[in-house]
Amino acid sequence: MYLELVQRSKELFTADFDIVEKNSTVGSLNLKGKLGSLDANISIQYRDDEMTLTPGVHDFEIIAKKPFRPYTIAFNGTNKGVISQTEIKTGMFSKIEFHQIEIGGTIYEMYPIGFGNDGAKNPIYVGNDQRGLIEKDCEVINDLHNYKITCVDELSAITGLLFAAYMYVNAAFKPGVAVTKSVHKVISKTTNKTLLQKYDPSFKGKYLK
């Protein structure tokens, strides 16, 4: 299945997105930040479920090594897990950074991979099994960001939405900054072989429906 997370607006401390499937809106995502903080409270309404992401770890013992900017995930008002940025060593002097969700005894990992002018392609894994892919163009118009999510099922779609929301607040959300008419490119090219091996160019074609 395939979803798009399309940003509709950005104010000084808020941002609003539509969740779109086959040209129909099936949900929304809203961020609310505050003065003096880079973090935000995030709410996601998707079909019949409501999810929230709140800064910090609440009611959980996080297992990620060196977690950075953890957020607690709640489903329909109940805390269920944690999302954070973490890292692992891949050699004596090398490491990779990635995003991780710990929820319901399952660990999901999303690996950010830059392809230069072709944008970012971020595969989502459970162990060695790829469950989703988040794509983002490198060109950003009027500071409005869009994310394309290909996933194997509904659970993977929810995971993809959580990762996309976390990507936005972690890298693109600029609280206190007014939007101006602009076009700019965010270009990143990954050279790490471990990360590049995570990308399967055939995955999207299998599940793009």
Side-chain angles (χ1 to χ4, degrees):
M1 60 182 301
Y2 178 77
L3 300 173
E4 289 187 75
L5 185 61
V6 181
Q7 188 169 6
R8 299 303 188 193
S9 67
K10 162 68 172 67
E11 303 297 337
L12 285 177
F13 296 101
T14 63
D16 297 293
F17 294 77
D18 286 340
I19 302 169
V20 179
E21 181 182 31
K22 297 179 180 178
N23 297 316
S24 297
T25 300
V26 294
S28 62
L29 185 152
N30 310 101
L31 286 87
K32 292 184 179 180
K34 60 182 180 180
L35 185 65
S37 174
L38 294 175
D39 289 310
N41 291 313
I42 305 170
S43 62
I44 303 171
Q45 188 73 42
Y46 175 62
R47 304 196 198 280
D48 296 325
D49 291 308
E50 182 176 354
M51 296 157 275
T52 60
L53 296 173
T54 54
V57 180
H58 311 288
D59 304 328
F60 293 95
E61 181 179 349
I62 193 167
I63 64 173
K65 295 181 179 179
K66 297 183 179 180
F68 175 71
R69 292 185 78 177
Y71 275 64
T72 295
I73 302 166
F75 279 84
N76 300 315
T78 302
N79 291 343
K80 292 292 188 179
V82 179
I83 185 170
S84 65
Q85 182 175 317
T86 186
E87 64 182 41
I88 57 171
K89 293 187 67 175
T90 56
M92 185 70 71
F93 303 106
S94 61
K95 64 180 181 181
I96 61 172
E97 296 180 343
F98 57 97
H99 296 166
Q100 181 172 288
I101 289 176
E102 306 168 23
I103 193 165
T106 302
I107 296 177
Y108 299 83
E109 296 171 342
M110 188 205 75
Y111 298 93
I113 306 173
F115 285 88
N117 286 316
D118 290 329
K121 302 180 188 298
N122 309 285
I124 300 168
Y125 279 83
V126 176
N128 294 319
D129 182 24
Q130 186 172 353
R131 308 299 295 167
L133 175 70
I134 302 175
E135 298 174 285
K136 189 176 188 302
D137 293 338
C138 64
E139 185 175 85
V140 179
I141 300 174
N142 299 335
D143 202 27
L144 299 177
H145 298 256
N146 298 329
Y147 302 83
K148 303 170 184 177
I149 304 169
T150 306
C151 39
V152 302
D153 53 26
E154 279 287 357
L155 180 58
S156 301
I158 290 172
T159 305
L161 290 170
L162 293 170
F163 274 125
Y166 186 73
M167 287 172 61
Y168 177 75
V169 75
N170 225 11
F173 185 52
K174 301 173 185 175
V177 178
V179 172
T180 57
K181 289 186 177 182
S182 62
V183 178
H184 71 275
K185 287 188 175 183
V186 180
I187 296 176
S188 173
K189 191 170 181 62
T190 297
T191 58
N192 184 285
K193 292 183 179 179
T194 302
L195 281 176
L196 291 172
Q197 289 173 354
K198 296 288 185 181
Y199 176 63
D200 176 5
S202 70
F203 176 84
K204 185 174 182 179
K206 297 174 186 177
Y207 300 102
L208 186 59
K209 297 180 181 178

